[in-house]
Each structure stands twice: as C-alpha cells, then as structure tokens.
C-alpha cells in the first residue's frame, strides 16, 4: 500500500496528483480498495446510534471515499487524454464496477432514511441537504426492491455500452482517417500541417470529433474534400446499434423512475425544468436559422458556379467571405501563436479583469510531456490554485476540448483547486504552434471553465466550481470568449510570430464585418444536433428503432431542421456528448449550449454597458456567479449579476436571426 500513490494524499503542492509515481498497475488495486473503503465509511454512518445530524450524516458522506476520488480523478483524466490499450482494458473492467458501487450507496435505504431525518438551519447546509435528497430520489432510492434491482441492471448495462461507444469512437478517429499518398491531393493545407501528418510516406489526416472537419475549408481538391467528409459522417458505424440500445435502456430507466421519457428525467433538475421550456426555446430558433442557411447556400452556389454538396460548404464559404468582406481567416493564423495567445491573451485578460497572475511551474509534471503547469495567484498575492494545459492532439486522446478538475476546491478539506484544459491542436514537427481563430476562441472558452473552477469559494465539494446544472455550466465559459476579440486584449496577443508586428487594423475590421456571415450554417448544424439528441431521448419505453439512420432523418425532418447541405454537428454514430456516458453526460442536454448562450449574450451586453474589461466588473462577475459554484440557485445568481431575468433577444441579434 505504501507504494500505491492513491492510498494517501499527494505530497505535491496543492495535492497535484504525483503523475511521475503513477503506473498502470496501481489503478485496479486503488479502485478496489477505494470502493471497499467508502462502503465501510457509509456503513459507519448508517450504524451510528446517535440521531441523524448534518455533521454525522451529510458531512460524513461528503468526507467519504477519498481514495476512490483520487483514483477516479486521475484515471478518468488519463483515459480521456492519453489512453493506452491497457488503460482502455481497465476502463472496460472498472467503469461498470463504479456504477455498481454508486448504486450501492444511493440505493442504500438506511442511508437515505438518515438523510431524510436530517434538519439544519444553516442555509449552506440546507442547500446541500436538499441536493442529496434530490440525488438519492433521482437515483431510485424510493423504488421497491425489485425495481431497484432492475435499475442496477440498467445502470451497469448503460455503462458498458457507453464505454464501448466511446472506445469505438476513439479508434475511429485514426482508423477512419483520410490517408493519401500524394501531397498534391492536400493542396490548400499549410506546409506545416502537411509535414505534421506525414507518416511512413503517407499523409494521415485524423478525424476531429465533429461532422465538419476544419480541413474542408482549405482543401482545393473537391474529391479529397468529398472523401474526408464521407469518412467523417460514416465513421464508427457499429455505434448506431449501441445508440439504439442506449436510448431504449434510458427510456426504460426513466419510466422506472416515474418519467414519461429520458428527456423529461434529464431536464427535471436543470434550470430548464421542463421539456416544454426546451422545445419552446429551440422552436423559436429553427425557422430563422434554416432561412438564413438557405440564403447562405444560394450565395455559395453562385460563387461555385454549380450546385454545391455538403463537403463544398466550408470551402466556398471562405471564398464568399473573402469576396464579400475581403477577409481570409488564414491570414490571421500567423498572428495567433499558442504561447502568446495564452500568456498575452487569456492570462492577460484574466489579470486585467480579476487581478490574478500566473507563474509556470516546470517542477510540477503532468501525465504527458505536453502538459504544462501554472501556479495561479490572487490579486493580493495569495495562492489561488493550479492550472494545467494539455494543448495537443494525439491518437491516444479523445477529440474536442474540455476542462476538468484534478482537485476540487472546498473549505471542508481545505483544498485549493487544481484544474486543467485539454485542447486538440495539431502539434507542428518544428517551429511555433499557430492557431486558427476558432482554436483561439475555443481556448478562451475552455479557460472560462477553468476560471469557474479556480474561483470556487464554497464549503462542500459536492457544489464546488462547475458542479452546477448542465444547462448552466457552459454559460461562464461562453462569456469568457468575448475577451478573445476585445480590442485591448487582441492588440496584446495578436502579433506576428516572426516580426512581432500587431495584426493590421484593417484585417481586424474585416474579421468583425464578417462575424455574422455563415451564422445560418453554424446555428443549423448545432440545432440539428440538439434536436437529434432530443428525438433519441423523447422515445417512450418500448418504442423501438429498427433503422437508426432512417430514424435520424425522420427526426430532423419532423423538427423542421432537415437541410441536405448542413448535416448535424454530430450524427448519432459519433455523438459522444450524449452516448459516451451511460447515465449522465449531455444526454437530452445538448440544448444546454444555446440555452446557456442566452445568458451569455445578456452578460456580454452587461459588460459592454459597464465599460468592459475593468476590475470592478470582473469582481462583480466573480462574486455573484463564479465563486458560488452550485451552492446557490444559479438562476438567482444570474439575476444578482445581471439585475433581471434573461431575455432571448440579445442572442437572436448576435446570431443574425432578427
């Protein structure tokens, strides 16, 4: 046990996991010990002869399972970011056990009864107590023994299927990659990109996790574009059957818990509350978005001189953007060097707005050589936490970009936060890493999540940082995107990587003028994915799907979002947001990005009305919203920040839908 790094808290600063000591053989023993330890701790809570109090029941539950927490946190991080074959084997073995373990706690009748007996006058304790009561009820604590047994079976099977879906998708990113032997077929890509994807005399362009691959905007060879697009939309075909089974099991699970479908179950504890509220909001956007996209398609067809296909859209959108606005996004790339974007952009904006500072810690290692560690200090010089950055794509890393916690902030344990961002930027074989503007925006977005975790100032880990409703969690990160184009921030980081010259003002003006162009496409592809997610999770129990691709087509048609030239941002077979987590994730929750964007658009207006990048504004946003995590009603927190309830009009204006 002394050799296993998970059995005791890390001795590193901020309890950063000691990745240098972690070996693959440590995981399974730590999982087994951690689960057994937490069950012993729960048994001690239920066996306590004293009357149930907040301290001996709820707080004791918050304190339980620390070995399991440390193990799960590190393993999940590595499984997402640097998964070897052995890690994937462990994932397949252990995740169903973790699901079974979670059920053993949440379906423990004695524990649930003690929680029900607790009362407290402390507002923070009362809020957490209600969180636990809701958690247990939604997990099935009120069900009969036979119903609970069926629920356990459903949860375990859901976990197995979701793990298989995720692993299929990870393999497909390389197995379905575009492979060409002649570099001429890749004309349009930068020389550095072509060098980076060369392997053994071939050129291998792996798939990113969404439909519309970025290279489609650059590749001049139409046949190459077609091949890449078709590889993208047809990857991991075995996942169609898994999705059908996942949706059916979720529908059965929802019925068991007293809901008409999984969508109703999913939104009940979100800010949306009801399926009707989600459908009303999405419905307001579909018509204007499709009309806008059709107008854009006409312009692209005119530019191309022939009827375009889906794989042509991005390429000709860039041509129209250039002819209409004299703007070519590729012209910006030399001004967006990775280190400078973070140092002089993301960190600079956070410093101006919140007064925080960053110092790189080369002595604190991550799980991979690409990972960088920064110590974060508050405005008064006190320690705030650690921020880790893993910027580069690799075959062992899942697609997309995300934030996760390695250590949750809580006053209960005296822990400061350790948070990290993962990106999927292509690593050059030599020279600087130059980003697209979309990658810059993504980096600002993910750092918004990081700030949510770093600024957490709560007592209990259950409500720490980003532990908020799923349809609220994207909101602070979306707000942080605004600083990517804020004039003083942009001027500070957008400098040519060779000359240091600032990005020309006229180029920025062109970019600003072109901002709303192609918003029809962007909105339709997002809404199509959100409504596809919704269709899968509005299935009634027992409502089977024989042909998942036909179901997908019917769902889009009935929602009024079907448009042959704009496929969903994620099709069913690679919709990891909703199918790679058995009982959670974003299932029936992909709507949350645009739901949160309503709040974001309102907040951007507030910042602009109050002179933008000022410490007073940052302190207000931090105090009312970022620091409270999930320890209060988040919509009340929003109104405390904004001064009134959210309105949809700013979002419609932003997306050019008014």
């Amino acid at each position: 046990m002394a050799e296993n790094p998970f059995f005791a808290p890390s001795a590193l600063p901020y309890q950063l996991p000691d990745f240098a000591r972690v070996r693959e053989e440590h995981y399974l023993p730590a999982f087994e010990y951690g689960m057994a330890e937490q069950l012993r701790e729960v048994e001690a809570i239920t066996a306590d002869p004293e009357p149930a109090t907040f301290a001996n029941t709820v707080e004791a539950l918050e304190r339980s399972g620390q070995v399991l927490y440390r193990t799960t946190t590190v393993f999940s991080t590595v499984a997402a970011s640097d998964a070897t074959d052995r890690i994937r084997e462990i994932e397949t073995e252990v995740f169903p056990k973790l699901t079974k373990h979670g059920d053993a706690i949440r379906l423990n009748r004695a524990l649930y009864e003690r929680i029900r007996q607790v009362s407290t006058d402390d507002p923070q304790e009362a809020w957490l107590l209600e969180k636990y009561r809701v958690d247990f009820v939604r997990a099935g604590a009120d069900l009969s023994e036979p119903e609970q047994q069926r629920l356990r079976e459903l949860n375990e099977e859901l976990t197995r299927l979701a793990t298989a879906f995720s692993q299929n998708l990870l393999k497909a990113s390389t197995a379905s990659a575009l492979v060409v032997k002649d570099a001429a077929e890749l004309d349009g890509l930068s020389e550095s990109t072509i060098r980076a994807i060369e392997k053994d005399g071939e050129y291998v362009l792996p798939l990113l996790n969404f439909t519309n691959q970025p290279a489609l905007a650059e590749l001049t060879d139409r046949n190459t574009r077609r091949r890449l697009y078709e590889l993208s939309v047809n990857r991991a075909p075995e996942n169609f059957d898994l999705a059908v089974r996942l949706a059916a099991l979720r529908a059965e699970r929802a019925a068991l818990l007293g809901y008409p479908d999984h969508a109703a179950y999913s939104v009940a504890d979100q800010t949306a509350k009801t399926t009707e509220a989600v459908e009303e909001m999405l419905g307001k956007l579909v018509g204007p978005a499709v009309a806008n996209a059709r107008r854009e398609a006409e312009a692209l067809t005119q530019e191309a001189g022939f009827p375009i296909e889906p794989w042509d859209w991005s390429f000709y959108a860039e041509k129209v953007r250039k002819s209409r606005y004299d703007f070519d996004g590729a012209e910006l790339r030399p001004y967006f060097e990775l280190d400078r974007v973070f140092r002089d952009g993301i960190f600079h904006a956070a410093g101006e707005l919140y007064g925080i500072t960053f110092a790189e810690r080369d002595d604190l290692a991550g799980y991979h050589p690409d990972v960088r560690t920064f110590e974060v200090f508050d405005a008064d010089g006190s320690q705030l936490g650690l921020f880790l950055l893993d910027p580069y794509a690799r075959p062992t890393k899942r697609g997309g970009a995300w934030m996760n916690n390695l250590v949750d902030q809580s006053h209960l344990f005296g822990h400061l936060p350790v948070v990290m961002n993962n990106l999927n930027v292509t690593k050059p074989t030599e020279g600087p890493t130059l980003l697209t503007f979309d990658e810059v925006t993504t980096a600002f977005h993910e750092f918004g999540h990081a700030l949510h975790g770093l600024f957490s100032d709560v007592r209990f880990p259950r409500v720490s940082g980003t532990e908020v409703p799923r349809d609220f969690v994207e909101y602070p990160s979306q707000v942080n995107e605004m600083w990517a184009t804020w004039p003083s921030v942009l001027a500070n980081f957008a400098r040519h990587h060779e000359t240091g010259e600032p990005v020309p003002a006229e180029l920025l003006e062109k970019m600003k003028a072109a901002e709303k162009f192609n918003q029809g496409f962007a909105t339709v592809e997002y809404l199509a994915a959100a409504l596809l997610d919704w269709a899968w999770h509005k299935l009634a129990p027992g409502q089977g799907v024989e042909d998942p691709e036909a179901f997908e087509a019917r769902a889009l048609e009935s929602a009024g979002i079907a448009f042959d030239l704009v496929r969903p941002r994620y099709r069913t077979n690679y919709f990891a947001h909703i199918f790679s987590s058995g009982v959670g994730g974003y299932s029936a929750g992909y709507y949350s990005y645009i739901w949160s964007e309503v709040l974001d658009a309102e907040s951007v207006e507030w910042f602009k009305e109050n002179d933008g990048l000022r410490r007073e504004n940052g302190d207000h946003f931090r105090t009312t919203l970022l620091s409270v995590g999930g320890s209060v009603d988040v919509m009340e927190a929003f109104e405390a920040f904004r001064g009134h309830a959210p309105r949809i009009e700013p979002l419609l204006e932003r997306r050019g839908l008014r």
Side-chain angles (χ1 to χ4, degrees):
M1 287 182 62
E3 295 179 357
N4 194 309
F6 296 115
F7 288 137
S10 170
L12 294 178
Y14 301 88
Q15 294 196 15
L16 173 72
D18 194 348
F19 291 106
R21 292 182 57 208
V22 175
R23 299 191 302 276
E24 290 178 347
E25 58 264 33
H26 289 142
Y27 288 118
L28 284 177
F31 274 122
E32 296 294 343
Y33 180 85
M35 287 185 281
E37 177 192 60
Q38 189 171 29
L39 291 179
R40 289 193 296 270
E41 292 166 336
V42 168
E43 185 178 354
I45 294 171
T46 59
D48 190 339
E50 295 297 316
T53 66
F54 186 88
N56 70 18
T57 303
V58 177
E59 185 174 312
L61 196 53
E62 281 284 278
R63 292 182 181 277
S64 71
Q66 287 304 293
V67 170
L68 183 59
Y69 165 74
R70 290 191 291 269
T71 309
T72 303
T73 300
V74 171
F75 180 79
S76 297
T77 298
V78 173
S81 303
D82 195 23
T84 63
D85 289 343
R86 179 56 184 150
I87 290 293
R88 287 192 280 270
E89 290 171 359
I90 296 171
E91 188 177 42
T92 301
E93 179 178 350
V94 82
F95 278 12
K97 292 181 178 179
L98 289 174
T99 298
K100 186 175 182 179
H101 173 74
D103 284 343
I105 294 173
R106 290 188 296 271
L107 300 180
N108 184 315
R109 294 190 182 280
L111 179 61
Y112 177 49
E113 187 57 36
R114 280 190 72 92
I115 290 172
R116 292 177 62 185
Q117 293 171 8
V118 172
S119 62
T120 176
D121 295 326
D122 181 279
Q124 289 189 47
E125 293 179 354
W127 181 262
L128 182 65
L129 175 60
E130 183 59 23
K131 286 275 188 189
Y132 268 102
R133 286 173 175 158
V134 170
D135 286 349
F136 272 67
V137 170
R138 285 175 58 78
D142 280 335
L143 299 180
S144 67
E145 284 295 339
E147 289 171 329
Q148 286 192 353
Q149 179 55 37
R150 179 54 184 156
L151 186 65
R152 289 186 177 95
E153 293 167 358
L154 288 170
N155 287 343
E156 287 189 56
E157 188 174 357
L158 282 165
T159 300
R160 283 194 295 271
L161 293 172
T163 301
F165 187 101
S166 180
Q167 292 187 353
N168 288 344
L169 195 49
L170 179 62
K171 288 183 284 189
S173 67
T174 50
S176 298
L178 175 70
V179 180
V180 301
K181 296 184 181 297
D182 186 354
E185 296 178 64
L186 301 175
D187 180 61
L189 299 185
S190 68
E191 290 183 10
S192 60
T193 299
I194 293 173
R195 287 197 301 270
I197 64 173
E198 184 178 6
K199 183 179 181 181
D200 300 328
E202 296 181 328
Y203 301 88
V204 181
L205 187 62
L207 298 178
L208 299 185
N209 64 330
F210 28 74
T211 296
N212 200 45
Q213 302 295 304
L216 292 171
E218 302 172 323
L219 290 164
T220 62
D221 187 308
R222 194 178 186 214
N223 186 55
T224 303
R225 293 200 303 270
R226 179 190 58 77
R227 289 175 56 205
L228 177 60
Y229 183 86
E230 290 180 345
L231 286 166
S232 178
V233 298
N234 294 315
R235 76 185 94 165
E238 62 273 27
N239 277 350
F240 278 115
D241 289 339
L242 292 177
V244 170
R245 186 64 181 148
L246 280 161
L249 293 176
R250 286 171 177 165
E252 182 184 349
R253 184 175 182 271
L256 198 59
L257 293 166
Y259 295 88
D261 50 54
H262 181 74
Y265 168 79
S266 182
V267 303
D269 69 337
Q270 302 299 302
T271 66
K273 302 298 184 187
T274 68
T275 57
E276 290 79 10
V278 175
E279 289 163 4
E280 180 184 1
M281 190 269 290
L282 294 178
K284 289 179 180 178
L285 300 173
V286 168
V290 172
N292 197 356
R294 290 191 184 280
R295 287 192 296 271
E296 292 169 356
E298 290 173 4
L300 303 189
T301 296
Q302 186 175 357
E303 175 70 27
F306 55 82
I308 63 167
E309 297 287 351
W311 48 85
D312 297 317
W313 187 294
S314 293
F315 184 76
Y316 286 101
E318 287 306 309
K319 285 189 171 295
V320 171
R321 196 193 311 269
K322 187 171 179 59
S323 63
R324 186 177 294 181
Y325 303 100
D326 192 24
F327 175 69
D328 182 354
E331 294 180 54
L332 286 171
R333 197 164 188 159
Y335 298 92
F336 296 149
E337 191 271 321
L338 177 70
D339 285 350
R340 181 161 249 159
V341 167
F342 272 89
R343 183 185 66 245
D344 297 337
I346 293 170
F347 293 169
H348 167 74
E352 292 292 300
L353 198 57
Y354 306 109
I356 60 177
T357 55
F358 302 80
E360 188 154 12
R361 293 288 301 266
D362 294 328
D363 58 317
L364 298 178
Y367 49 82
H368 188 277
D370 287 341
V371 178
R372 300 168 65 181
T373 303
F374 300 85
E375 190 168 14
V376 189
F377 299 93
D378 217 332
D380 61 1
S382 61
Q383 294 176 316
L384 187 61
L386 290 180
F387 169 70
L388 281 71
L389 173 65
D390 183 358
Y392 294 118
R394 48 183 169 268
T396 55
K397 189 180 194 179
R398 68 176 171 89
W402 65 96
M403 170 268 188
N404 62 287
N405 283 14
L406 290 169
V407 178
D408 292 326
Q409 178 275 330
S410 77
H411 297 305
L412 182 68
F413 288 107
H415 289 171
L416 293 174
V418 178
V419 305
M420 75 174 302
N421 281 172
N422 268 272
L423 307 176
N424 260 285
V425 177
T426 300
K427 188 175 185 178
T429 54
E430 58 184 10
T433 302
L434 303 180
L435 307 183
T436 66
F437 182 66
D438 281 348
E439 289 169 336
V440 171
T441 303
T442 297
F444 272 85
H445 175 101
E446 296 304 332
F447 193 73
H449 285 305
L451 288 172
H452 204 177
L454 286 167
F455 287 150
S456 179
D457 188 15
V458 300
R459 183 174 165 191
F460 302 109
R462 169 65 180 80
V463 293
S464 178
T466 55
E467 288 293 327
V468 296
R470 184 189 52 232
D471 57 8
F472 189 87
V473 74
E474 297 298 332
Y475 156 55
S477 56
Q478 289 171 334
V479 172
N480 204 60
E481 292 179 28
M482 72 179 290
W483 308 118
T485 53
W486 195 258
S488 64
V489 177
L490 194 60
N492 204 56
F493 76 84
R495 293 181 173 272
H496 199 281
H497 70 99
E498 292 177 337
T499 67
E501 291 295 313
V503 61
E506 60 270 22
L507 187 55
L508 295 179
E509 286 301 316
K510 292 174 185 177
M511 181 184 77
K512 186 176 181 181
E515 276 182 348
K516 289 183 181 178
F517 176 73
N518 217 36
Q519 277 298 310
F521 174 90
T523 307
V524 167
E525 74 159 1
Y526 166 77
L527 288 174
L531 289 161
L532 178 59
D533 166 31
W534 204 246
W536 278 113
H537 294 112
K538 286 286 286 183
L539 289 171
Q543 185 180 352
V545 173
E546 294 185 4
D547 184 340
E549 294 192 72
F551 172 83
E552 182 177 282
R554 287 195 305 272
L556 299 176
E557 189 69 38
S558 64
I561 199 72
F563 185 21
D564 289 343
L565 294 179
V566 185
R567 304 289 281 276
R569 183 170 173 81
Y570 304 100
R571 291 190 68 205
T572 299
N573 44 319
Y574 48 93
F575 208 159
H577 283 77
I578 67 171
F579 288 125
S580 65
S581 175
V583 295
Y586 276 74
S587 57
Y590 194 65
Y591 77 88
S592 63
Y593 285 90
I594 206 147
W595 186 272
S596 295
E597 196 179 343
V598 172
L599 309 180
D600 161 35
E602 278 270 35
S603 301
V604 169
E605 274 202 354
W606 182 90
F607 275 104
K608 289 179 177 178
E609 289 167 0
N610 290 275
D611 300 324
L613 197 70
R614 297 169 61 237
R615 274 294 307 281
E616 295 90 336
N617 293 343
D619 289 344
H620 179 55
F621 192 50
R622 175 177 177 175
T623 301
T624 56
L625 264 162
L626 298 179
S627 67
V628 299
S631 67
V632 300
D633 184 300
V634 293
M635 293 308 292
E636 291 181 6
F638 172 82
E639 291 191 31
F641 163 70
R642 185 63 179 100
H644 59 70
R647 303 162 301 150
I648 198 171
E649 287 76 15
L651 172 65
L652 298 177
E653 180 68 29
R654 169 191 288 184
R655 286 188 171 252
L657 301 178
R658 293 186 67 180

